[in-house]
Amino acid sequence: RYVGKRSCKKSRVNREVNKDSPKVVHSIDMEDIGSKAVYCRCWRSRKFPYCDGAHTKHNEETGDNVGPLIIKKRDA
Ligand code: FES
């Protein structure tokens, strides 16, 4: 499939999170997670690094299929 020259330009994933930083890194201690944590992987959340559901709109607008990373403790 032919993709126009303009479309071939690589685009940025991160549009607005900590743009003044050379690299966006978050470190979270396992002890602080509690029973469940939901992390954003679409880079559109206003609560980044946590998911706020913005991926739904992103997927609708772009046809993408991204969703969060859910970390939870196994049920005992
Ligand atoms: Fe980004 Fe949910 S808001 S994965």
Side-chain angles (χ1 to χ4, degrees):
R1 177 181 139 197
Y2 173 76
V3 179
K5 188 176 181 181
R6 213 164 178 204
S7 300
C8 289
K9 185 178 179 184
K10 293 182 180 181
S11 62
R12 294 178 185 222
V13 172
N14 181 13
R15 293 182 185 163
E16 54 191 53
V17 177
N18 298 347
K19 294 305 284 185
D20 55 339
S21 174
K23 185 187 296 182
V24 179
V25 177
H26 293 92
S27 178
I28 298 165
D29 290 332
M30 295 296 288
E31 292 78 14
D32 295 336
I33 288 179
S35 60
K36 180 180 173 184
V38 183
Y39 295 98
C40 177
R41 295 192 297 181
C42 75
W43 289 83
R44 302 295 179 265
S45 175
R46 295 276 181 204
K47 298 180 353 185
F48 200 86
Y50 301 101
C51 172
D52 70 354
H55 58 267
T56 301
K57 183 180 178 196
H58 166 77
N59 288 342
E60 288 172 358
E61 292 176 347
T62 64
D64 210 343
N65 65 345
V66 296
L69 167 65
I70 300 172
I71 298 177
K72 60 182 181 178
K73 288 189 176 164
R74 189 176 296 141
D75 295 334

